[in-house]
Amino acid sequence: MDKLIYLDNAATTKTAPEVVQAMLPYFTEYYGNASTIYDFAGKSKEAIMQARTQIADVIGAKKEEIYFTAGGSESDNWALKAAFEAYKSKGNHIITSKIEHHAILHTCEYLEKERGARVTYLDVDENGFISLEDLEKAITPETILISIMFANNEIGTIEPVREIGRIAKEHGVLFHTDAVQAFGQVPINVDEMNIDMLSSSGHKINGPKGIGFLYIRKGVKIRSFVHGGAQERKRRAGTENIPGIVGYGVAAQRAQETMEKRSAEEIRLRDHLIGRILKEIPYSRLNGDAVKRLPNNVNVSLQFIEGESMLLMLDRYGICASSGSACTSGSLDPSHVLMAIGLPHEIAHGSLRMTLSEETTLEEIDFVVDRLKEIVDRLRSMSPLYEDFMKKQK
Ligand SMILES: *Cc1c(COP(=O)(O)O)cnc(C)c1O
């Protein structure tokens, strides 16, 4: 088998052909600037409005509550920085978790160091869930914002978002969720879940890269993020990325329409992959919850193995996977998420994330497990740690 086996869909996804088709006319035919008044620009305005509606429908929002950005990182930055600026006269306290994406964690660190914020980083349990009790206890009269991710990008754990929303509402605190991994993958309703702000990104749902949105509930007093023209209701200036917006709208609608069938199939393959690894590779463990996890996420630790070596050997077979999050690769520190769920360093280092897509097949999964078994055997046979361990077993 020398075709590519792409199991890194949490890092990015393939842009769907129908998404590309929908985008193309907006480069060369309908290239008008949506801020102009001549009739030709009408197509551009219409296209933006349609995408806004397609996206709003997925989360039960109104189209005026969707603000386009350049991606998930920008949406996260905007939600935290601009809500902090707008509400700091009320209080300076933000509550988040230890397993957020760096777009949240590094923004929180900035707000602490440079802007006088106080941030509580909630612990998570061994499966990556925050404790609702800890959350409630952490709220003070100074608390202005809770930001907890919908689903974790490394271990796939889906947080109790509905309960978090209820607690936030009861205490009159804003609730933002980084839903980059969850949008289009699991059902979301911003009203039923009391979500005030939500971040998403096009390239994680078979849409184009460099486009995202921030949902901002009507009435939330957030500051503008980019100053300039009147685009995005004067909150995020700059000529719109119309092809990106069009593609994102189509990708969102497509993700919503195929969600039920796609996730059922992904769950079947996911559980087959997890089941085979745990059964056939000794000293392996699953990271994240077995049930409340993203349909396409597998994250396992294989003891006595270096994750990076495993990735390089898988790569020789054309298998793309990840040993942590794409952003942490290249650094020697183990993933902050795996540390937060209490894995010892040496076990965290032997972790492997495989994230499936609608195109993943059973045949590919079985091929990957077969190769993985050989690779693990080979790497363990070269490991002094493993040799010592096996001696002690006798
Ligand atoms: C990918 C990702 C982001 C960043 O999104 P970009 O569009 O790449 O900036 C933020 N949060 C989570 C959970 C992600 O998985």
Side-chain angles (χ1 to χ4, degrees):
M1 212 187 273
D2 42 22
K3 80 178 220 286
L4 188 75
I5 299 183
Y6 186 75
L7 295 178
D8 204 14
N9 288 280
T12 196
T13 59
K14 166 162 134 183
T15 312
E18 60 265 48
V19 168
V20 177
Q21 280 309 315
M23 291 171 71
L24 288 177
Y26 292 91
F27 288 103
T28 49
E29 264 178 83
Y30 312 123
Y31 51 84
N33 187 320
S35 303
T36 54
I37 61 162
Y38 36 77
D39 195 46
F40 173 56
K43 269 281 188 189
S44 310
K45 280 178 223 172
E46 233 171 75
I48 295 172
M49 197 150 63
Q50 188 187 348
R52 227 187 275 288
T53 305
Q54 285 166 324
I55 285 168
D57 284 351
V58 176
I59 56 171
K62 299 180 195 70
K63 69 176 190 314
E64 317 81 66
E65 296 172 313
I66 303 298
Y67 296 84
F68 289 112
T69 66
S73 300
E74 183 184 315
S75 299
D76 284 346
N77 271 258
W78 185 7
L80 266 54
K81 289 177 185 166
F84 181 75
E85 286 303 322
Y87 287 88
K88 68 181 178 203
S89 60
K90 184 174 167 246
N92 70 341
H93 184 224
I94 296 172
I95 302 173
T96 185
S97 82
K98 287 189 177 164
I99 62 164
E100 300 295 314
H101 189 273
H102 283 141
I104 294 290
L105 289 178
H106 291 167
T107 303
C108 284
E109 283 161 25
Y110 159 79
L111 289 172
E112 276 179 301
K113 284 204 191 97
E114 311 286 339
R115 312 294 305 164
R118 194 170 72 76
V119 181
T120 300
Y121 300 89
L122 294 176
D123 284 318
V124 293
D125 70 10
E126 68 279 9
N127 286 335
F129 295 113
I130 66 143
S131 143
L132 296 170
E133 211 173 291
D134 288 357
L135 170 66
E136 201 146 20
K137 273 195 223 140
I139 298 173
T140 75
E142 299 288 299
T143 309
I144 51 172
L145 177 66
I146 295 169
S147 180
I148 304 283
M149 70 201 320
F150 206 111
N152 184 270
N153 47 304
E154 292 188 36
I155 57 173
T157 299
I158 300 172
E159 297 296 333
V161 170
R162 192 178 292 266
E163 289 75 14
I164 298 168
R166 184 177 45 74
I167 291 170
K169 190 173 184 191
E170 277 168 16
H171 290 83
V173 176
L174 285 183
F175 175 34
H176 165 258
T177 188
D178 174 341
V180 173
Q181 292 290 335
F183 179 82
Q185 301 284 357
V186 295
I188 302 178
N189 184 293
V190 289
D191 286 340
E192 286 168 14
M193 295 174 169
N194 288 307
I195 296 166
D196 297 305
M197 293 186 278
L198 177 146
S199 308
S200 159
S201 175
H203 74 99
K204 302 286 175 81
I205 60 159
N206 306 101
K209 292 173 179 56
I211 186 79
F213 75 82
L214 180 64
Y215 156 78
I216 308 174
R217 179 179 293 284
K218 190 162 177 273
V220 170
K221 288 196 295 285
I222 190 171
R223 295 283 163 83
S224 300
F225 194 58
V226 179
H227 302 274
Q231 294 91 351
E232 302 303 292
R233 305 163 77 83
K234 293 192 186 159
R235 283 175 154 183
R236 202 273 190 184
T239 302
E240 299 88 346
N241 170 4
I242 296 171
I245 289 172
V246 167
Y248 196 9
V250 172
Q253 189 176 32
R254 183 179 174 277
Q256 173 78 350
E257 283 165 4
T258 60
M259 187 189 296
E260 222 178 278
K261 194 163 165 274
R262 174 169 37 95
S263 53
E265 179 60 11
E266 282 176 357
I267 287 171
R268 191 175 75 87
L269 294 180
R270 175 195 77 186
D271 291 347
H272 177 73
L273 176 54
I274 294 171
R276 273 201 68 189
I277 290 174
L278 297 185
K279 188 160 158 250
E280 297 175 38
I281 302 182
Y283 312 109
S284 59
R285 57 157 281 153
L286 175 69
N287 297 316
D289 193 74
V291 180
K292 287 180 186 155
R293 79 184 296 134
L294 288 170
N296 72 338
N297 175 290
V298 174
N299 189 313
V300 288
S301 291
L302 306 158
Q303 240 178 298
F304 315 107
I305 301 275
E306 194 61 58
E308 303 297 314
S309 323
M310 200 156 38
L311 287 189
L312 289 174
M313 292 175 83
L314 287 167
D315 189 34
R316 286 195 214 153
Y317 295 105
I319 301 167
C320 305
S322 159
S323 63
S325 84
C327 327
T328 21
S329 311
S331 123
L332 285 177
D333 294 335
S335 128
H336 65 285
V337 176
L338 299 177
M339 292 286 99
I341 62 170
L343 290 194
H345 271 238
E346 66 276 15
I347 294 186
H349 271 304
S351 298
L352 182 66
R353 180 186 74 180
M354 292 175 279
T355 41
L356 325 186
S357 78
E358 61 199 338
E359 295 185 356
T360 309
T361 64
L362 185 63
E363 191 195 10
E364 286 177 337
I365 296 289
D366 282 328
F367 176 79
V368 169
V369 179
D370 293 342
R371 297 296 79 72
L372 191 59
K373 284 166 67 180
E374 295 165 7
I375 289 168
V376 167
D377 279 348
R378 194 148 10 125
L379 289 173
R380 280 182 180 164
S381 73
M382 301 187 292
S383 157
L385 278 174
Y386 184 65
E387 200 183 325
D388 276 0
F389 174 83
M390 291 314 278
K391 268 187 207 143
K392 284 192 199 122
Q393 301 300 298
K394 280 173 194 156

